[in-house]
Amino acid sequence: MRNAPGNGEDEVVGRIQWKRFAALSVPGVALTAALGVALSSGALAASFAVSGQQFKVSADSLTGKGFAQYGSIDTNAREELLPVAVTAIGEAKLHNLCQSVVTTLPVIGDISLNLTAGKKKPVEATNLFVDAAQLSGDAGFNNIEIGRDASTLDKGPEGAQGMQDLFGQQADDVTISNLEQVAWATNAGTFKLSGLNMKITKGKKECF
């Protein structure tokens, strides 16, 4: 049964009140549009399509100058959206770096790729961006600002800003000991790995 047209009430078709449905769908449409604009303008972390595999990174310590952190989105080749916490550091040094990723192949099983560096001389990076799903360690900051609008961050490297109205934090410098993180992607202007050693082995062998 349909209401008579022109009576000012919601038209009901197939038991859906279309005016109410439209009102409820507006926030979702607006969010999708905002994500599209952000992706096209480069405001999100999706500078390239990430792989379908996360990787683990650990270090005895990380010291950095110019720290910023904010939430963002990565995309994979299927254009799926992956929430991440972006950690951006202008100049970073990492002692005893380990990076690992495990791939499971048919018949063969697990294959591990392990990379280590910085055991004697620290790994050095500039304009470092890490899109992480998890991060832990013992951290210390100087002149930290917590809860700043992510679009106004200005202590990290160039481009280290998130979307307007979203949470962000920044500091003059950061130190993290016993660093462990799970990440989707890493970008850096320069990345110098002293004592680099890479191995591929059968089985599961991870940094932590």
Side-chain angles (χ1 to χ4, degrees):
M1 176 70 70
R2 297 185 180 181
N3 294 327
N7 62 1
E9 297 180 8
D10 286 353
E11 182 181 2
V12 179
V13 181
R15 301 186 64 83
I16 297 176
Q17 292 183 314
W18 291 106
K19 288 182 180 179
R20 184 176 301 170
F21 172 80
L24 292 173
S25 65
V26 165
V29 173
L31 176 59
T32 301
L35 287 173
V37 171
L39 281 168
S40 64
S41 66
L44 297 185
S47 59
F48 57 84
V50 302
S51 74
Q53 295 178 279
Q54 296 176 331
F55 56 93
K56 293 185 175 182
V57 176
S58 66
D60 289 349
S61 66
L62 177 152
T63 58
K65 296 180 179 179
F67 166 86
Q69 191 173 62
Y70 51 93
S72 191
I73 302 287
D74 279 348
T75 57
N76 59 22
R78 294 183 177 86
E79 298 186 352
E80 296 170 329
L81 302 180
L82 308 169
V84 295
V86 178
T87 298
I89 302 174
E91 299 178 11
K93 293 184 178 181
L94 300 98
H95 293 264
N96 196 20
L97 173 70
C98 173
Q99 177 179 302
S100 65
V101 61
V102 178
T103 301
T104 302
L105 301 175
V107 181
I108 297 177
D110 292 335
I111 299 294
S112 297
L113 185 152
N114 291 81
L115 180 153
T116 59
K119 290 186 176 181
K120 295 182 178 180
K121 182 180 178 181
V123 171
E124 298 180 357
T126 61
N127 298 329
L128 177 67
F129 290 77
V130 179
D131 301 352
Q134 177 184 334
L135 185 151
S136 63
D138 302 314
F141 305 88
N142 280 326
N143 298 322
I144 190 168
E145 300 173 352
I146 301 173
R148 180 163 174 159
D149 188 299
S151 68
T152 69
L153 298 173
D154 58 8
K155 290 189 176 183
E158 184 178 356
Q161 294 179 332
M163 295 178 67
Q164 186 175 350
D165 297 329
L166 294 189
F167 175 91
Q169 57 184 2
Q170 63 178 8
D172 289 345
D173 55 65
V174 57
T175 60
I176 304 176
S177 57
N178 303 315
L179 170 68
E180 293 183 351
Q181 65 183 11
V182 180
W184 285 107
T186 296
N187 291 321
T190 63
F191 204 47
K192 299 179 181 179
L193 297 97
S194 62
L196 172 64
N197 184 25
M198 187 184 74
K199 290 184 180 179
I200 297 178
T201 57
K202 189 174 181 180
K204 183 175 289 188
K205 183 179 180 182
E206 299 180 285
C207 296
F208 58 92

